[in-house]
């Protein structure tokens, strides 16, 4: 944003080249965001087309290619195609036929559909409620920008319109996607993916907020008011980051210490050559000190564990503590591969360590 503003204002080749390079690197970091980034750049450029020096655009394109090229080369070397990525099949380019084109456009513009009610709830939870102090400041600042519209430069007007379009785009696209990262679906926390999806909204809100605060600074008692606003922001933001519900840094640090102790206890019980089955994400507590298996839900996996136990390798399961009914159900499942397990250690932050045994083995 800053580089393109400088390019429009100073009209030098170097700014066009740097704008393209940084834009290319931004796309390379998270390529799925190319659509709103391209929209943002297009809206801003369309409004400020008179400020663009068209003969400099090849330099911007060169920078863009240099920024993106390493990722495309790696994709091709690994997957055999430029636009295939590691955890997704990429975007299916349209073929002949109206239905294919329509599907492609839908996939690009509204990949999660269009759901106004979900969008409204997401907006209230993660924009208004989550950081209400920021929302209020940006709302007031936006009104201030509109009030000062006549005295703004073309570059700033283009930036403002781009910010509105991109904000609406992100709210519609990600706001229509209903999911929960937290076991409690009602929890609104810093660790939610919504927060990172909406990070550009905070960035886009920086400049109208600073514009408004800079004007307020020059008013009577303005310095006192702005200083007070900054102190309030620091206090509320620090509280959210450090002591926020479930995922504040202080809470996370305490949990990490607790699970570090659990890890030491488990390592003290299990031999160094043992294998620990840790479904979900608890494998991180034991690897690389112990070999780990992260999935245990299919007959094939039961058989694999059975072969390990028969080979004399100690195998354990670290899991949320089973109640009597769950324990009986698991023992029934394991009979098919001649296995059973017994609890070695309980009371491990709601988890227990179980050891696998061959049936009728002491």
């Amino acid at each position: 944003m800053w580089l393109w503003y400088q390019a429009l204002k100073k009209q030098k080749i170097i700014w066009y080249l740097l704008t393209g390079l940084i834009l290319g690197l931004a796309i390379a970091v998270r390529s799925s965001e190319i659509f709103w980034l391209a929209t943002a750049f297009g809206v801003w450029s369309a409004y400020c087309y008179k400020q663009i020096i068209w003969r400099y655009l090849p330099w911007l394109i060169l920078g863009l290619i240099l920024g993106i090229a390493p990722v495309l080369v790696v994709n091709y070397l690994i997957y055999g195609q430029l636009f295939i990525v590691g955890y997704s099949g990429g975007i299916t380019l349209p073929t002949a036929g109206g239905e294919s084109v329509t599907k492609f456009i839908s996939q690009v513009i509204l990949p999660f559909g269009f759901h106004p009610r979900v969008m409204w709830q997401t907006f209230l939870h993660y924009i208004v409620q989550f950081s209400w102090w920021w929302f209020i400041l940006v709302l007031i600042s936006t009104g201030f920008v509109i009030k000062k519209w006549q005295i703004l430069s073309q570059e700033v007007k283009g930036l403002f319109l781009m910010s509105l379009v991109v904000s609406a785009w992100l709210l519609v696209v990600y706001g229509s996607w209903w999911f929960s990262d937290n076991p409690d679906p009602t929890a609104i926390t810093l660790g939610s993916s919504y927060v990172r999806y909406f990070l550009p909204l905070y960035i886009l809100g920086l400049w109208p907020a600073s514009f408004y605060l800079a004007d307020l600074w020059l008013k009577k008692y303005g310095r006192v008011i702005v200083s007070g606003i900054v102190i309030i922001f620091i206090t509320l933001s620090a509280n959210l980051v450090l002591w926020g519900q479930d995922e504040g840094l202080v809470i996370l640090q305490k949990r990490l210490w607790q699970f570090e102790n659990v890890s030491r206890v488990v390592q003290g019980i299990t031999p160094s050559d043992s294998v620990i089955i840790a479904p979900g994400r608890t494998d991180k507590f034991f690897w690389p000190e112990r070999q780990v298996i992260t999935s245990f839900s299919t007959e094939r996996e039961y058989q694999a564990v059975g072969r390990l136990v028969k080979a004399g390798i100690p195998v354990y399961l670290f899991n949320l503590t089973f109640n009597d009914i769950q324990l009986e159900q698991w023992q029934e499942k394991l009979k098919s591969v001649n296995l059973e397990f017994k609890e070695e250690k309980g009371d491990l932050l709601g988890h227990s360590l179980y050891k696998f045994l061959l049936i009728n083995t002491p």
Side-chain angles (χ1 to χ4, degrees), residues 265-333:
V265 170
V266 171
Q267 289 178 45
I269 296 172
T270 59
S272 59
D273 64 340
S274 61
V275 174
I276 299 177
I277 298 173
R281 300 173 182 175
T282 54
D283 59 291
K284 300 173 181 65
F285 301 129
F286 310 115
W287 190 86
E289 287 78 15
R290 298 291 183 272
Q291 295 297 305
V292 297
I293 297 174
T294 59
S295 176
F296 190 65
S297 59
T298 67
E299 185 71 21
R300 182 181 178 183
E301 290 166 342
Y302 303 158
Q303 293 172 356
V305 169
R307 289 194 295 271
L308 289 173
V309 176
K310 288 178 183 177
I313 298 173
V315 183
Y316 297 84
L317 171 68
F318 182 81
N319 200 81
L320 290 170
T321 302
F322 298 124
N323 58 39
D324 292 340
I325 295 176
Q326 292 171 325
L327 195 59
E328 186 177 341
Q329 290 173 341
W330 269 107
Q331 300 288 28
E332 192 64 31
K333 288 180 183 178

Side-chain angles (χ1 to χ4, degrees), residues 132-179:
W132 55 267
W133 56 95
W134 180 251
F135 173 74
I136 291 174
L137 177 61
V138 172
L139 192 64
I140 295 172
S141 301
T142 300
F144 176 77
V145 171
I146 294 173
K147 182 180 177 182
K148 298 288 186 178
W149 187 258
Q150 296 301 323
I151 66 170
L152 300 180
S153 67
Q154 287 295 100
E155 296 91 346
V156 173
K157 288 179 180 178
L159 174 60
F160 181 73
L161 292 175
M162 178 272 284
S163 300
L164 292 181
V165 171
V166 170
S167 298
W169 176 301
L170 292 171
L171 286 170
V172 169
V173 172
Y174 291 114
S176 295
W177 185 15
W178 177 251
F179 64 88

